[in-house]
Amino acid sequence: MKGRFCYVFFFICLIQLWQPVAAQKGASSYVLVIHGGAGTILKKNMTPEKEAAYTASLKKALETGYKVLQSGGSSLDAVEATVRVLEDDSLFNAGKGAVFTHDGRNELDAAIMNGKTRAAGAVAGVTTVRHPVSAARAVMEKSEHVMMVGPGAEKFAKEAGLEIVDPSYFRTQSRWDDLQKVLWDDSVAAAKAHAYTKPEKLGIINHDYKFGTVGAVALDKQGNLAAATSTGGMTNKKYGRIGDSPIIGAGTYANNKTAAISCTGWGEFYIRNVVAYDLSALMEYKGLSVQAAGNTVIKKVGDMGGDGGLIALDRNGHMTMSFNTEGMYRGAVTKDGKIEVHIYKN
Ligand code: ASP
């Protein structure tokens, strides 16, 4: 009887050992993951044209980053190139197409981090740099600092040879209309000061006017991870407000030991929960998988009343796209170049 029990016990142990190996074998190995913001993105509010446009834009960004990785480029180059494509695309709340502040400006934040060295760079509140992610990289590589803000960051970006544009370059009508709607919702007093048009007259039905940040995480052929995030922040944010995206450890983080992470969502909650670093710490100190760690931190954000999502990629090509909103623009490429793009929850 005792012998039979031992035999069964041994058999169960064998199955337990075999299971994770099997799961790992079946899992695709990803090299690049991106997001284009999380929020109330519902299929019923989407036109086929709009859906096709978002899908095409996400694919284009993924193809750009994948090309860099394929040709042996670094994960840092890949995330920068990918985010630049999304910054140029007015569909997303980064670079051109950024949301407006309360007083009608486009103030941009971005960060980048190297998982191998844990070097990092960030800019916040810039209004004239065409590609804020490249300014973040310049801060990382060409200064002894990690974060630069406002006119100083702009001066530095110019000195670094980056493209400088007139602030009006970032303006789009649809983001302007979003601001008018929020102002209308917020208070009649604020609305009066801005001489807005009634939202009904603008034809706004259900604008997801709060989110739309972009981010990328990549794993290169040398096994190094990198992360980058770029955003216009949140519609109607107060003058000088800085969100989580450019804050290393809150909206952006990368460490070869754990994962590369880029977040999107209600920034204040991501700052208070130190979300990106928390995910990394759960992997480093508790041994959680990237997926379990991602789900844990998003739950924490939700429990506190915040919403949003994140993407994270580990050194073995395992990734997660966790979010607690109705949708998140997102996509990924596997080692073999297979591209996937998703928008809605399921
Ligand atoms: N997290 C960004 C911020 O709070 C906004 C977003 O992700 O949409 O600035």
Short mmCIF file of all heavy atoms in Angstrom, two decimals, residues 37-38 93 109 210-213 231-234 241 243-245 263-268, ligand 1:
data_model
loop_
_atom_site.label_atom_id
_atom_site.label_comp_id
_atom_site.label_asym_id
_atom_site.label_seq_id
_atom_site.Cartn_x
_atom_site.Cartn_y
_atom_site.Cartn_z
N GLY A 37 -2.38 53.51 -25.66
CA GLY A 37 -3.31 54.09 -24.69
C GLY A 37 -4.46 53.17 -24.33
O GLY A 37 -4.87 52.33 -25.13
N ALA A 38 -4.93 53.35 -23.10
CA ALA A 38 -6.05 52.55 -22.60
C ALA A 38 -7.19 53.47 -22.22
O ALA A 38 -6.97 54.63 -21.88
CB ALA A 38 -5.61 51.76 -21.37
N ASN A 93 -2.18 60.12 -28.51
CA ASN A 93 -1.91 61.24 -27.61
C ASN A 93 -0.43 61.31 -27.25
O ASN A 93 -0.02 61.06 -26.13
CB ASN A 93 -2.78 61.08 -26.36
CG ASN A 93 -2.43 62.07 -25.27
OD1 ASN A 93 -1.84 63.11 -25.52
ND2 ASN A 93 -2.79 61.72 -24.03
N ASP A 109 5.35 64.87 -22.37
CA ASP A 109 6.25 64.15 -21.45
C ASP A 109 6.74 62.87 -22.13
O ASP A 109 5.97 62.21 -22.83
CB ASP A 109 5.51 63.69 -20.18
CG ASP A 109 4.83 64.82 -19.41
OD1 ASP A 109 5.24 65.97 -19.57
OD2 ASP A 109 3.90 64.50 -18.64
N LYS A 210 -9.56 61.10 -22.39
CA LYS A 210 -8.58 61.18 -21.32
C LYS A 210 -7.24 60.52 -21.64
O LYS A 210 -6.20 61.00 -21.27
CB LYS A 210 -9.16 60.58 -20.04
CG LYS A 210 -9.97 61.58 -19.26
CD LYS A 210 -10.21 61.13 -17.85
CE LYS A 210 -10.58 62.25 -16.92
NZ LYS A 210 -11.69 63.07 -17.40
N PHE A 211 -7.26 59.39 -22.36
CA PHE A 211 -6.03 58.62 -22.51
C PHE A 211 -5.51 58.59 -23.96
O PHE A 211 -6.09 59.20 -24.83
CB PHE A 211 -6.24 57.21 -21.99
CG PHE A 211 -6.73 57.17 -20.57
CD1 PHE A 211 -7.81 56.40 -20.21
CD2 PHE A 211 -6.10 57.94 -19.59
CE1 PHE A 211 -8.25 56.37 -18.89
CE2 PHE A 211 -6.54 57.92 -18.28
CZ PHE A 211 -7.62 57.13 -17.92
N GLY A 212 -4.47 57.84 -24.22
CA GLY A 212 -3.94 57.72 -25.58
C GLY A 212 -2.43 57.75 -25.68
O GLY A 212 -1.86 57.79 -26.76
N THR A 213 -1.79 57.70 -24.52
CA THR A 213 -0.33 57.63 -24.45
C THR A 213 0.22 56.49 -25.29
O THR A 213 -0.47 55.50 -25.51
CB THR A 213 0.03 57.39 -22.96
OG1 THR A 213 -0.35 58.54 -22.25
CG2 THR A 213 1.49 57.09 -22.74
N THR A 231 3.82 60.91 -24.15
CA THR A 231 2.42 61.30 -23.95
C THR A 231 2.20 62.81 -23.96
O THR A 231 3.15 63.58 -23.73
CB THR A 231 1.91 60.77 -22.58
OG1 THR A 231 0.50 61.00 -22.48
CG2 THR A 231 2.61 61.45 -21.41
N GLY A 232 0.96 63.16 -24.21
CA GLY A 232 0.53 64.55 -24.03
C GLY A 232 -0.11 64.70 -22.66
O GLY A 232 -0.55 65.78 -22.27
N GLY A 233 -0.21 63.59 -21.94
CA GLY A 233 -0.80 63.61 -20.59
C GLY A 233 -2.30 63.44 -20.64
O GLY A 233 -2.82 62.66 -21.44
N MET A 234 -3.01 64.17 -19.80
CA MET A 234 -4.47 64.04 -19.74
C MET A 234 -5.14 65.34 -20.15
O MET A 234 -4.70 66.42 -19.73
CB MET A 234 -4.90 63.63 -18.33
CG MET A 234 -4.42 62.22 -18.00
SD MET A 234 -4.72 61.74 -16.30
CE MET A 234 -6.47 61.39 -16.39
N ARG A 241 1.28 70.38 -14.82
CA ARG A 241 1.07 69.01 -14.30
C ARG A 241 1.96 68.02 -15.07
O ARG A 241 2.06 68.07 -16.29
CB ARG A 241 -0.39 68.62 -14.45
CG ARG A 241 -0.71 67.19 -13.98
CD ARG A 241 -0.73 66.20 -15.11
NE ARG A 241 -1.27 64.90 -14.73
CZ ARG A 241 -1.20 63.83 -15.50
NH1 ARG A 241 -0.63 63.88 -16.66
NH2 ARG A 241 -1.73 62.69 -15.10
N GLY A 243 2.67 63.85 -15.52
CA GLY A 243 2.09 62.54 -15.23
C GLY A 243 3.16 61.50 -14.91
O GLY A 243 4.31 61.82 -14.60
N ASP A 244 2.75 60.25 -14.99
CA ASP A 244 3.65 59.14 -14.65
C ASP A 244 4.64 58.79 -15.76
O ASP A 244 5.72 58.27 -15.48
CB ASP A 244 2.82 57.89 -14.34
CG ASP A 244 1.98 57.47 -15.55
OD1 ASP A 244 1.26 58.34 -16.11
OD2 ASP A 244 2.07 56.30 -15.98
N SER A 245 4.26 59.08 -17.01
CA SER A 245 5.05 58.59 -18.16
C SER A 245 6.53 58.92 -18.08
O SER A 245 7.37 58.05 -18.31
CB SER A 245 4.46 59.11 -19.47
OG SER A 245 3.09 58.90 -19.51
N CYS A 263 3.68 52.12 -19.11
CA CYS A 263 2.30 52.20 -18.59
C CYS A 263 1.48 53.25 -19.32
O CYS A 263 2.01 54.17 -19.94
CB CYS A 263 2.32 52.57 -17.11
SG CYS A 263 3.28 51.43 -16.11
N THR A 264 0.18 53.13 -19.19
CA THR A 264 -0.75 54.15 -19.68
C THR A 264 -1.98 54.15 -18.78
O THR A 264 -2.43 53.09 -18.34
CB THR A 264 -1.15 53.90 -21.14
OG1 THR A 264 -2.12 54.88 -21.52
CG2 THR A 264 -1.73 52.50 -21.36
N GLY A 265 -2.48 55.33 -18.51
CA GLY A 265 -3.66 55.39 -17.65
C GLY A 265 -3.65 56.66 -16.83
O GLY A 265 -2.92 57.60 -17.14
N TRP A 266 -4.43 56.65 -15.80
CA TRP A 266 -4.59 57.83 -14.95
C TRP A 266 -3.30 58.00 -14.14
O TRP A 266 -3.10 57.35 -13.11
CB TRP A 266 -5.79 57.61 -14.06
CG TRP A 266 -6.29 58.82 -13.36
CD1 TRP A 266 -5.60 59.97 -13.10
CD2 TRP A 266 -7.59 59.00 -12.81
NE1 TRP A 266 -6.39 60.86 -12.43
CE2 TRP A 266 -7.62 60.29 -12.24
CE3 TRP A 266 -8.74 58.19 -12.75
CZ2 TRP A 266 -8.76 60.78 -11.61
CZ3 TRP A 266 -9.86 58.68 -12.12
CH2 TRP A 266 -9.87 59.97 -11.56
N GLY A 267 -2.44 58.91 -14.63
CA GLY A 267 -1.07 59.01 -14.15
C GLY A 267 -0.89 59.15 -12.65
O GLY A 267 0.05 58.58 -12.08
N GLU A 268 -1.77 59.89 -12.02
CA GLU A 268 -1.61 60.14 -10.59
C GLU A 268 -1.58 58.81 -9.81
O GLU A 268 -0.83 58.64 -8.86
CB GLU A 268 -2.73 61.06 -10.06
CG GLU A 268 -2.50 62.55 -10.33
CD GLU A 268 -2.55 62.96 -11.81
OE1 GLU A 268 -3.01 62.16 -12.65
OE2 GLU A 268 -2.12 64.08 -12.13
N1 ASP B 1 -0.48 58.24 -18.06
C1 ASP B 1 -0.65 59.45 -18.80
C2 ASP B 1 -0.62 60.61 -17.84
O1 ASP B 1 -1.24 60.54 -16.81
C3 ASP B 1 -1.92 59.50 -19.60
C4 ASP B 1 -2.22 58.27 -20.41
O2 ASP B 1 -1.58 57.25 -20.26
O3 ASP B 1 -3.12 58.34 -21.23
O4 ASP B 1 -0.05 61.61 -18.17
#
